[in-house]
Amino acid sequence: KVANRTYVADPKGDVAAKYDKIHMFDVDLGNGERYAESATFDPGNQAALVDLPWGRLGLTICYDLRFPGLYRHLAQAGADYLTVPSAFTRPTGEAHWHVLLRSRAIET
């Protein structure tokens, strides 16, 4: 299996941080659509933050958005900003994407 991974590069192009998605998207939407990300990907097991010139960045990926504990941990660890690169399906995106993003916002 492979990892669903995000990289952050520094100004020289070197890897400054990486994050392996923790929460796999395994779901049956009930309309015949079924997704089993865990059939191809191994989950990560560690949250990741990286210090940038403008603040500390917390790294997450797509389905992680549904798990508030990860975002609470990142905020408590000093994240100023969060990344959520994603490819939500149309049905789940329309139903959940914006509300979940707003609920994970970091108040400063």
Side-chain angles (χ1 to χ4, degrees):
K1 292 185 182 180
V2 295
N4 188 340
R5 182 172 291 160
T6 291
Y7 288 100
V8 177
D10 68 17
K12 294 180 183 178
D14 295 324
V15 175
K18 67 181 180 179
Y19 167 72
D20 292 348
K21 181 179 171 187
I22 294 172
H23 302 96
M24 298 291 98
F25 183 58
D26 289 354
V27 66
D28 182 347
L29 296 178
N31 63 359
E33 284 185 78
R34 178 160 168 35
Y35 299 89
E37 190 174 27
S38 64
T40 305
F41 296 94
D42 276 333
N45 59 12
Q46 185 172 321
L49 293 121
V50 60
D51 290 317
L52 302 173
W54 53 85
R56 182 168 266 194
L57 180 66
L59 306 175
T60 70
I61 299 173
C62 202
Y63 194 61
D64 285 330
L65 190 59
R66 292 186 179 269
F67 299 87
L70 174 59
Y71 292 86
R72 186 177 311 110
H73 171 79
L74 291 168
Q76 290 173 342
D80 298 301
Y81 305 95
L82 301 167
T83 61
V84 193
S86 298
F88 267 60
T89 65
R90 179 173 288 279
T92 59
E94 288 176 353
H96 307 289
W97 177 246
H98 289 286
V99 70
L100 284 169
L101 281 176
R102 287 192 307 271
S103 72
R104 303 299 179 248
I106 297 173
E107 298 292 327
T108 58

